[in-house]
Amino acid sequence: MPELRLESSLVDDRYLVERCLGRGSYAEIFLAYDQLNKGEPVIIKSLNTSLQGTPDPELEQTLVENFQNEAMALDRVRHTHIIQRLGHGTAADLEGVPFHYLVIEYMPGGDLWSLCRKQPLALEAVLFYFEQVAEALAYAHSQQVIHRDIKPNNLLLSADQQVIKIADFGVAKMSLDDACEITRVGTNVYAPPEHHPDVRAGELNEKLTPSADVYSMAKSIYTALTGRAPRQFAREPITELPFELASETWSGPMVAVFSKATASRVADRYQTVDEFWGDFARVRLVGAAANELDDEATIVRPRLSAESTVERAAPRPNFQVLANPPREISSAHKAKIVVELPTHADTASAHQSAGAEAQWSRREEKTRAFGSPEYNSNSAVQTITREEDNAAVLRQRTTIQAFRAERGLFDRMRQLISSEWLRRVFIIFLVVALIGLAASTYYHFADQKAGLPFFSQAKEGRIAGALNVNLRSDPFGAVLAAVPKDTRVRVVEERGGWMRVKVLEWAGDAPENAPDSGWVDGRFVRLD
């Protein structure tokens, strides 16, 4: 997998990259520090079109356009509870591989899924968080943007976990009037039927509306309340709460709100976030004797604020395909290593040691001066005592000893590396490695002639137990394609009940741009 090499590097002479936080199908997420903004932590979302192998030109062009659309969507919906885009750029990693990137706001508190799966949230906490989400979605819809992938993983928290923001507008739709193109996106547990990734073309012909985000938001609230995803309600309305919540006085009204918000048909749902939130927020006010949600005489419907006070973003990016990157991208904008190499340690230690010795000598002279009668009688500085100065000298001596010990360690390491016996060990190791390589090559080709894979018989089988099984980028990752029953596969790797498979023969016609490998649930693979 051609992953970008950015850890411990300086991107565009500005962003000090610390580590990679995660990878998706075509993007890598890095934590970095903005050196031109007081070292403020930021997220660098880098587009890597080669994560799934070398893409064809048409796919690469689409990926670049989607990346730019995400930046445009973030700029259009700048809101207090939506992740902000802080900048963008085009650079090259430590190997000279060019890439586009977005700089977005860093939320150190983690995501809502990590919070609620440890401990389900109380109703008051759910209302606190999702009022912020509802206001952000209401504003996004007022700007003609539908998110299409609302889920707890895309709801990020501040360090004190008091602020929540919507992230990942990578599949957002930026026109509420364009209903002719409904792509299958989102996460299968939270996505509504009209753009569910498992629904085949022609099954439904529903118009995409803001109710799609209402649907996903309702199922995200269910997850926050229960601590588990509503898998039993995938592509189905929520019709009940778990046993531990069924006894709450608000459980009946809550189920009624959930059922309407997650209705299969668009026309049967709440049409706006404001309508949904009005009924949901009133659930906590419904007592044990309340059986209806429309008692306007006693309960006031809460209203959302669909306004934003966030300033405009950085200049709009204009990304292009980098199939043949210009020379200046891989040179002037190449990431720079910022971690000091071990070969410079001796020089640094020597300079520090020399400086410490000189400072120690000056300290001793100063101490002798402090102790003289002339100093005690004539100096105006009386705040430094002899005991304090002696303690400082002792600390300096300790530091010098540490530097000398470190320098001695590097000297011994150099002597060890240059010793004759170590060279002989290295030569022996090299010879053994070459012999092993030759033997491996021989057995590899010998086993191929015999019709056997290298060292062991590969596992092959077919998809079984379901009409279609999701092929994912990694366990629980993004859905790459739907693999139909009886598709023939070879198992490449197994991990925690999941299998990474290579598709040998599709059952029926292969989907357009279908990947040839990915992860599937091992329960749906029947081995020969």
Side-chain angles (χ1 to χ4, degrees):
M1 182 179 293
E3 300 168 348
L4 294 174
R5 285 196 57 209
L6 292 178
E7 287 87 350
S8 302
S9 70
L10 190 65
V11 173
D12 270 348
D13 289 327
R14 177 170 182 173
Y15 302 106
L16 179 59
V17 180
E18 179 180 287
R19 67 183 187 276
C20 179
L21 299 180
R23 292 181 173 88
S25 298
Y26 296 103
E28 298 180 74
I29 307 298
F30 295 90
L31 173 62
Y33 299 91
D34 188 350
Q35 302 303 290
L36 299 185
N37 188 22
K38 302 178 182 179
E40 190 72 18
V42 296
I43 292 296
I44 292 183
K45 183 174 183 178
S46 59
L47 176 64
N48 187 347
T49 60
S50 300
L51 275 175
Q52 305 298 324
T54 304
D56 58 71
E58 183 178 353
L59 173 59
E60 186 171 15
Q61 179 68 41
T62 300
L63 293 173
V64 172
E65 290 175 356
N66 289 345
F67 199 66
Q68 181 158 319
N69 286 341
E70 179 175 3
M72 294 168 58
L74 285 173
D75 290 350
R76 185 183 291 187
V77 295
R78 290 178 65 79
H79 187 272
T80 307
H81 297 296
I82 294 177
I83 288 292
Q84 296 184 37
R85 181 179 76 86
L86 306 176
H88 68 278
T90 299
D93 72 351
L94 295 174
E95 300 292 339
V97 178
F99 64 94
H100 299 307
Y101 67 86
L102 298 176
V103 182
I104 56 180
E105 188 178 4
Y106 174 53
M107 299 292 284
D111 57 51
L112 188 67
W113 170 239
S114 300
L115 180 66
C116 67
R117 70 177 174 179
K118 297 176 183 176
Q119 179 66 45
L121 303 183
L123 179 59
E124 289 299 322
V126 169
L127 288 163
F128 173 74
Y129 284 133
F130 279 92
E131 183 175 14
Q132 301 176 46
V133 175
E135 287 187 349
L137 281 178
Y139 178 74
H141 295 164
S142 72
Q143 301 302 306
Q144 306 293 298
V145 175
I146 301 177
H147 188 279
R148 294 203 297 172
D149 197 18
I150 295 294
K151 57 184 177 181
N153 310 68
N154 286 338
L155 303 177
L156 306 184
L157 297 164
S158 60
D160 60 2
Q161 297 187 332
Q162 295 301 301
V163 177
I164 194 167
K165 298 194 177 189
I166 304 174
D168 197 352
F169 279 73
V171 296
K173 192 72 172 176
M174 290 191 288
S175 174
L176 301 188
D177 299 325
D178 183 7
C180 60
E181 182 184 356
I182 305 298
T183 52
R184 306 301 172 192
V185 297
T187 305
N188 59 352
V189 177
Y190 301 97
E194 58 265 30
H195 66 76
H196 197 283
D198 290 345
V199 176
R200 294 185 176 182
E203 281 191 40
L204 285 173
N205 189 21
E206 292 266 52
K207 182 179 179 180
L208 181 66
T209 72
S211 70
D213 285 345
V214 172
Y215 183 104
S216 301
M217 181 180 173
K219 291 201 169 180
S220 298
I221 292 176
Y222 178 95
T223 299
L225 280 171
T226 63
R228 52 184 179 268
R231 300 186 185 280
Q232 70 274 31
F233 301 118
R235 296 174 57 185
E236 298 289 340
I238 296 175
T239 56
E240 62 181 358
L241 292 175
F243 173 78
E244 60 270 19
L245 297 179
S247 60
E248 297 287 348
T249 57
W250 43 259
S251 63
M254 179 77 75
V255 170
V257 173
F258 278 159
S259 182
K260 182 175 180 180
T262 59
S264 297
R265 307 297 302 187
V266 172
D268 297 334
R269 296 183 209 143
Y270 294 102
Q271 297 304 301
T272 67
V273 176
D274 194 77
E275 290 178 12
F276 165 70
W277 188 252
D279 280 354
F280 180 81
R282 289 163 56 214
V283 166
R284 64 175 170 177
L285 303 177
V286 178
N291 297 317
E292 301 293 337
L293 288 174
D294 57 353
D295 186 5
E296 298 291 349
T298 58
I299 300 176
V300 177
R301 180 185 297 272
R303 303 295 296 178
L304 295 172
S305 171
E307 299 180 357
S308 175
T309 59
V310 180
E311 297 178 358
R312 286 294 301 165
R316 172 181 171 180
N318 183 20
F319 296 134
Q320 302 293 330
V321 174
L322 295 173
N324 297 303
R327 189 171 186 177
E328 60 269 16
I329 289 181
S330 57
S331 56
H333 296 278
K334 182 177 178 180
K336 300 176 178 61
I337 298 177
V338 296
V339 177
E340 186 178 351
L341 298 177
T343 53
H344 298 302
D346 289 341
T347 304
S349 296
H351 289 170
Q352 290 174 330
S353 179
E357 287 178 339
Q359 189 175 6
W360 177 38
S361 299
R362 290 195 297 270
R363 275 291 197 179
E364 286 186 325
E365 294 176 1
K366 191 175 182 181
T367 302
R368 287 195 295 271
F370 284 170
S372 64
E374 291 79 9
Y375 179 85
N376 291 331
S377 59
N378 299 324
S379 175
V381 181
Q382 299 295 334
T383 58
I384 302 178
T385 65
R386 190 165 190 169
E387 290 76 8
E388 292 173 333
D389 200 61
N390 287 338
V393 172
L394 180 61
R395 288 194 298 271
Q396 293 287 353
R397 286 177 174 172
T398 304
T399 303
I400 293 171
Q401 292 173 357
F403 286 140
R404 287 174 175 169
E406 182 180 0
R407 185 168 54 187
L409 174 62
F410 283 113
D411 290 340
R412 288 193 295 273
M413 290 177 63
R414 284 200 305 270
Q415 293 173 2
L416 180 63
I417 294 173
S418 61
S419 62
E420 185 66 28
W421 73 268
L422 188 59
R423 293 178 185 175
R424 293 176 180 176
V425 170
F426 176 75
I427 293 173
I428 293 173
F429 174 79
L430 183 60
V431 171
V432 171
L434 290 174
I435 293 174
L437 178 61
S440 299
T441 304
Y442 170 78
Y443 286 114
H444 173 65
F445 287 105
D447 285 347
Q448 280 190 337
K449 291 181 180 180
L452 297 173
F454 186 37
F455 288 129
S456 64
Q457 182 68 41
K459 298 179 182 179
E460 295 186 2
R462 295 181 182 274
I463 298 298
L467 294 178
N468 291 282
V469 176
N470 285 333
L471 186 69
R472 299 179 179 273
S473 58
D474 47 54
F476 301 106
V479 176
L480 306 178
V483 183
K485 182 180 179 181
D486 293 330
T487 295
R488 190 157 188 81
V489 297
R490 175 182 294 127
V491 178
V492 179
E493 181 183 350
E494 297 186 41
R495 186 194 306 169
W498 289 81
M499 294 182 177
R500 186 161 67 92
V501 300
K502 180 178 179 60
V503 178
L504 302 178
E505 180 182 355
W506 288 85
D509 296 332
E512 185 178 356
N513 298 324
D516 61 355
S517 64
W519 290 85
V520 298
D521 192 326
R523 296 175 298 175
F524 300 105
V525 177
R526 186 181 65 218
L527 300 177
D528 294 341

